[in-house]
């Protein structure tokens, strides 16, 4: 890419970017939320046209690029948001647009065999007949990566592939990246997990505010240098002292059960307490959001908020009990992508209190308070949420659902896709919530985050609580071992 620039509505997202990828290298692309990473790779993949500058593939110019053309030229991409069709099976998603045919009809037997082959060469264990929307986030990501790898390209772009994956699944992705690179395939790897980037990348390019700051060998970089290049400053990540919570019990979950995934979940969270729920991915904690938010009715058990039982399977009941559930899948369940930032921020408040009247001035005024509290940055005044960078969408999600009056909340991957600075801001905001008496249930696959935020961890395995212990004194290794199914000692 030579001298690539791109603006949206007059605001510059990328300015004069030079970016080159060698064959077989893992080239990481890092930068703060909104730095321009996704925009750059969308231009490379032909999904967006640059305003100026050129993209050369194999040294050649290929005119205006489209996703179809770049794919034919060997460049494939896994976008930051999942693009699978939830209602279709895994095989259908993987072969969408190129299902094998025999005598005019789809050859399903071959389709399943091809999909199964593509999955198994990557070591992904997912049934090709499974309905995609019923898979966990991790499995969906792996299916999407497998789909792109199966197209047999020379360059694979992964835009935050591990943002919503836990340790073990992230390692599957890392192994895959190494395997591809040693097979001569170039991987462009975008991630906010900087330790991951340092462990994987041969070269690292840092973007800041739409400009390229540096391209350096991974071996010449370390965490402080990288953070400085990204932010222009240093950050501290200390765990603050918080009083040991001793308040009333606010969240009581008693014998909650749901299908095969959750046999019996019992736990409680007191006012001002942060309790993390851990376990191998898919082992129960992924059930928390649908069950607690009222999206799905549990097959057994009870939920009480501040002593009052919440009618099960009702979103309205959960909300009016003062429970806010924040999804790890912001575009599907938390935000209305077609509405603007301010409209989204207003929606929860108006939707809950005064349903009919929209007063625009007041809407923007109130929204701007929430925006600045959560550090939402946009290059335009009030763009649709779908036009925001991933990390900024995450901040809008939190700002939308959390205000100081919240009694209890479930936070599913609260810092999914946010940059290092925003991550520590969000951690401070969660500290603040807890200090003001909110009971916080945290479902995070990020071990550092759990150590930083939680007072207590509850470990769920095969659908049951197998451990409930204070975080104080727990080491990082002990916590990792607990998540993957070992013991703390
Ligand atoms: N379609 C669009 N319309 C308007 N603005 C856009 C559009 N796409 C991106 N932007 C803006 O361009 C800037 C760069 O966004 P981009 O998505 O490339 O950031 P990013 O580096 O990928 O951030 P993140 O780490 O949060 O994913 C942001 O300010 C974003 O709001
Ligand atoms: Mg992005």
């Amino acid at each position: 890419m030579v001298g690539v620039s791109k603006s949206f509505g007059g605001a510059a997202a990328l300015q004069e970017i030079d970016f080159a990828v060698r064959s077989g290298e893992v080239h990481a692309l890092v930068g703060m939320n909104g730095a321009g990473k996704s925009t750059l790779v969308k231009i490379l993949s032909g999904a967006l046209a640059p305003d100026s500058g050129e993209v050369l593939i194999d040294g050649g110019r290929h005119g205006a690029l489209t996703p179809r053309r770049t794919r034919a030229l060997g460049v494939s991409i896994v976008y930051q948001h999942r693009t699978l069709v939830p209602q279709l099976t895994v095989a259908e998603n993987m072969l969408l647009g190129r299902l094998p045919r025999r005598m005019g009809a789809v050859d399903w037997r071959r389709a399943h065999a091809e999909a199964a082959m593509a999955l198994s060469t990557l070591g992904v264990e997912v049934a090709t007949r499974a309905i995609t929307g019923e898979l966990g986030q991790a499995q969906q990501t792996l299916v999407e990566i497998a789909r792109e790898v199966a197209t047999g390209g020379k360059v694979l772009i992964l835009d935050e592939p591990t943002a919503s994956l836990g340790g073990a699944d992230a390692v599957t992705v890392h192994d895959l990246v190494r395997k591809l690179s040693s097979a001569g395939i170039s991987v462009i790897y975008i991630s906010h997990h900087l330790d991951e980037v340092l462990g994987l990348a041969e070269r690292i390019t840092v973007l800041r505010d739409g400009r390229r700051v540096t391209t350096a060998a991974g071996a010449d970089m370390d965490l402080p240098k990288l953070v400085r290049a990204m932010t222009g400053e240093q950050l501290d990540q200390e765990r603050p002292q918080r009083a040991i919570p001793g308040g009333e019990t606010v969240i009581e979950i008693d014998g909650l059960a749901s299908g095969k995934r959750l046999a019996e979940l019992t736990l409680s969270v007191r006012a001002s307490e942060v309790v993390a729920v851990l376990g191998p991915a898919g082992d129960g904690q992924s059930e928390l959001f649908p069950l607690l938010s009222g999206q799905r009715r549990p097959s057994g058990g009870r939920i009480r908020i501040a002593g009052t039982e919440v009618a099960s399977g009702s979103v309205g009941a959960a909300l009016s009990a003062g429970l806010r559930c924040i999804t790890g899948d912001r575009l599907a369940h938390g935000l209305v992508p077609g509405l603007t930032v301010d409209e989204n921020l207003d929606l929860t408040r108006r939707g809950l209190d005064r349903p009919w009247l929209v007063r625009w001035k007041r809407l923007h005024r109130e929204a701007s308070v929430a925006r600045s509290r959560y550090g939402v940055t946009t290059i335009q005044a009030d763009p649709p949420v779908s036009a925001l960078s991933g990390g900024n969408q995450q901040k809008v999600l939190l700002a939308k659902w959390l205000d100081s009056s919240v009694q209890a909340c479930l936070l599913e991957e609260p810092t999914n896709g946010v940059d290092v600075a925003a991550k520590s801001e969000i951690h401070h905001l969660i500290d603040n919530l807890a200090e003001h008496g909110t009971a916080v249930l945290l479902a995070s696959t990020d071990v550092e985050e759990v150590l930083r935020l939680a007072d207590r961890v509850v470990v769920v395995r095969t659908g049951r609580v197998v451990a409930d212990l204070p975080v104080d004194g727990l080491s990082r290794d002990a916590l990792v071992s607990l998540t993957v199914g070992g013991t703390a000692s």
Side-chain angles (χ1 to χ4, degrees):
M1 303 180 81
V2 186
V4 167
S5 300
K6 179 77 188 173
S7 300
F8 294 104
L14 290 175
Q15 297 181 56
E16 297 282 323
I17 304 282
D18 295 330
F19 178 62
V21 180
R22 300 174 185 150
S23 75
E25 80 168 337
V26 179
H27 196 139
L29 194 53
V30 300
M32 311 295 275
N33 295 136
K37 306 176 295 294
S38 297
T39 305
L40 189 71
V41 293
K42 279 181 195 159
I43 291 172
L44 178 54
S45 74
L48 275 180
D51 298 338
S52 58
E54 288 188 308
V55 179
L56 296 109
I57 299 175
D58 276 336
R61 294 184 176 82
H62 300 274
L65 294 172
T66 61
R68 190 182 281 270
R69 289 203 59 187
T70 48
R71 211 182 224 186
L73 291 166
V75 179
S76 55
I77 179 165
V78 176
Y79 288 106
Q80 185 166 6
H81 57 271
R82 297 288 72 86
T83 61
L84 301 169
V85 185
Q87 295 83 359
L88 297 183
T89 65
V90 167
E92 285 166 331
N93 263 305
M94 288 190 66
L95 297 168
L96 206 61
R98 53 190 187 93
L99 279 164
R101 285 173 184 273
R102 206 172 134 229
M103 298 192 300
V106 173
D107 184 348
W108 287 112
R109 186 193 296 240
R110 218 178 97 207
H112 282 284
E114 272 181 28
M117 175 70 112
L119 289 167
S120 72
T121 38
L122 301 184
V124 180
E125 284 174 29
V126 176
T128 59
R129 284 173 210 280
I131 300 298
T132 310
E134 289 169 9
L135 300 176
Q137 286 281 310
Q139 288 174 310
Q140 295 195 26
T141 303
L142 294 171
V143 166
E144 202 159 342
I145 295 177
R147 176 180 72 186
E148 295 309 320
V149 170
T151 62
K154 296 172 288 198
V155 178
L156 177 68
I157 304 166
L158 299 175
D159 193 351
E160 299 194 32
T162 55
S164 57
L165 301 191
D169 293 308
V171 169
T172 312
V173 175
H174 303 160
D175 289 345
L176 174 61
V177 167
R178 290 197 186 94
K179 211 192 294 177
L180 291 172
S181 130
S182 55
I185 295 173
S186 320
V187 181
I188 300 173
Y189 196 90
I190 300 178
S191 176
H192 288 293
H193 299 297
L194 300 179
D195 41 354
E196 182 178 272
V197 163
L198 289 166
L200 273 177
E202 268 148 69
R203 291 199 297 161
I204 304 175
T205 289
V206 182
L207 297 184
R208 194 200 307 160
D209 298 332
R211 292 177 187 276
R212 187 170 64 99
V213 178
T214 181
T215 297
D220 297 338
M221 272 288 186
D222 57 25
L223 195 58
K225 270 193 204 164
L226 201 52
V227 171
R228 220 171 311 130
M230 288 166 64
T231 62
E233 62 197 81
Q234 235 138 352
L235 292 169
D236 73 302
Q237 301 250 3
E238 280 291 291
R239 181 188 167 99
Q241 281 297 318
R242 218 179 25 233
I244 293 172
E248 303 273 296
T249 298
V250 178
I251 306 178
E252 281 177 274
I253 299 175
D254 187 10
L256 202 64
S258 168
K260 276 184 237 152
R261 287 230 181 125
L262 203 59
E264 207 261 283
L265 182 76
T266 300
L267 61 84
S268 60
V269 187
R270 301 210 265 199
S272 293
E273 196 180 25
V274 180
V275 174
V277 180
L278 289 180
D283 245 15
Q285 70 281 51
S286 56
E287 298 297 285
L288 287 173
F289 178 79
L291 295 177
L292 295 191
S293 66
Q295 202 183 49
R296 194 161 73 226
R297 193 181 295 276
S299 53
R302 277 188 308 212
I303 300 163
R304 278 198 215 89
I305 300 297
T308 311
E309 186 160 343
V310 184
S312 70
S314 157
V315 173
L319 288 173
S320 48
L323 175 63
R324 296 285 179 275
C325 295
I326 288 147
T327 173
D329 189 353
R330 52 190 173 242
L331 289 179
H333 302 302
L335 296 172
V336 185
L339 294 184
T340 69
V341 170
D342 290 356
E343 286 166 343
N344 263 281
L345 291 172
D346 177 62
L347 210 54
T348 36
R349 293 169 179 82
R350 189 158 46 87
L352 296 173
D353 304 332
R354 36 195 162 95
W356 55 88
L357 200 61
V358 185
R359 278 185 287 182
W360 290 99
K361 240 194 186 141
R362 179 157 153 192
L363 179 153
H364 290 301
R365 195 174 57 231
E366 285 177 4
S368 91
V369 175
R371 275 179 186 231
S372 67
R373 196 167 128 81
Y374 283 83
V376 177
T377 54
T378 58
I379 53 177
Q380 286 163 299
D382 187 18
V385 148
S386 53
L388 291 188
S389 78
N392 279 303
Q393 288 176 356
Q394 186 65 25
K395 296 179 205 166
V396 175
L397 175 72
L398 293 172
K400 176 175 174 180
W401 289 102
L402 294 178
D403 59 67
S404 48
S405 66
V406 171
Q407 282 226 33
C409 63
L410 165 68
L411 303 176
E412 199 181 41
E413 306 293 354
T415 55
N416 181 347
V418 309
D419 63 49
V420 275
K423 190 168 179 173
S424 81
E425 279 165 33
I426 290 176
H427 287 167
H428 281 300
L429 287 161
I430 297 172
D431 287 335
N432 269 338
L433 269 182
E435 253 162 40
H436 286 95
T438 307
V440 180
L441 200 54
L442 176 69
S444 170
T445 49
D446 181 339
V447 171
E448 310 298 341
E449 178 159 285
V450 169
L451 286 172
R452 160 72 179 75
L453 288 176
D455 299 299
R456 203 147 53 81
V457 292
V458 168
V459 183
V460 179
R461 207 173 303 147
T462 56
R464 282 169 205 286
V465 175
V466 294
D468 185 333
L469 60 176
V471 166
D472 244 6
L474 212 57
S475 71
R476 189 183 181 283
D477 291 349
L479 200 57
V480 171
S481 150
L482 278 171
T483 1
V484 297
T487 56
S489 52

